[in-house]
Amino acid sequence: MQDCIFCEIANRRIETEILFEDDDIIAFSDINPIAPVHVLFIPKKHIESVSDISKEDKMLMGNMIFQAKEMAVRLGIDKNGYKLLFRTGQDGGQEIPHIHLHLIGGAKLYEEIRPV
Ligand code: AMP
Ligand code: ZN
């Protein structure tokens, strides 16, 4: 999709260090990390948000979660735990309209989820 920064990263038009890649997804570090580990997993194909997942995407989304878990093991944060986060739409605080799964960990995480 034109003018989508995560499509640009997936298509290698923007240079980013890729931490994981398979046929359908890639992972890279968040540019503005909020914890020692902050990795984003995105599908190579443009899907705007969780609200736009179709039946055909079910395996893809399972793969994203599975690969995030594998990355947590590789980075040694699985024993202490971590967060997996999909922000969705305006109220969910989603800023980039290309679905992405945040893997956040490496420290005890402060929890604040409340209405603005
Ligand atoms: P969200 O608020 O869930 O849409 O998260 C978007 C995330 O993308 C934020 O954590 C940003 O720091 C991150 N981000 C934005 N642009 C880039 C980029 N070029 N490379 C890596 N991460 C980015
Ligand atoms: Zn996109």
Side-chain angles (χ1 to χ4, degrees):
M1 201 204 204
Q2 258 187 345
D3 298 330
C4 171
I5 189 164
F6 284 179
C7 282
E8 300 273 284
I9 288 174
N11 296 329
R12 301 292 210 282
R13 284 196 289 269
I14 293 178
E15 204 176 316
T16 309
E17 189 192 352
I18 304 297
L19 303 177
F20 172 81
E21 176 170 19
D22 67 13
D23 287 347
D24 304 310
I25 71 181
I26 61 168
F28 51 90
S29 293
D30 194 292
I31 204 169
N32 190 18
I34 60 167
V37 172
H38 191 168
V39 178
L40 301 177
F41 290 78
I42 66 168
K44 290 182 176 175
K45 79 166 183 173
H46 185 87
I47 301 171
E48 188 164 321
S49 81
V50 169
S51 298
D52 301 293
I53 296 168
S54 66
K55 232 177 180 174
E56 299 79 64
D57 299 324
K58 287 198 292 184
M59 292 290 284
L60 173 65
M61 300 312 297
N63 187 29
M64 279 175 63
I65 293 170
F66 176 76
Q67 298 301 348
K69 185 272 293 187
E70 293 281 288
M71 176 80 71
V73 172
R74 275 203 298 285
L75 297 177
I77 62 167
D78 57 311
K79 296 286 183 292
N80 282 352
Y82 47 86
K83 276 191 201 200
L84 295 179
L85 172 68
F86 286 106
R87 293 200 180 93
T88 302
Q90 202 179 326
D91 280 359
Q94 184 179 359
E95 285 178 0
I96 307 270
H98 180 130
I99 194 169
H100 48 283
L101 174 61
H102 295 255
L103 167 64
I104 304 167
K108 179 86 179 146
L109 300 169
Y110 181 70
E111 178 78 25
E112 182 171 29
I113 298 177
R114 60 184 174 86
V116 174

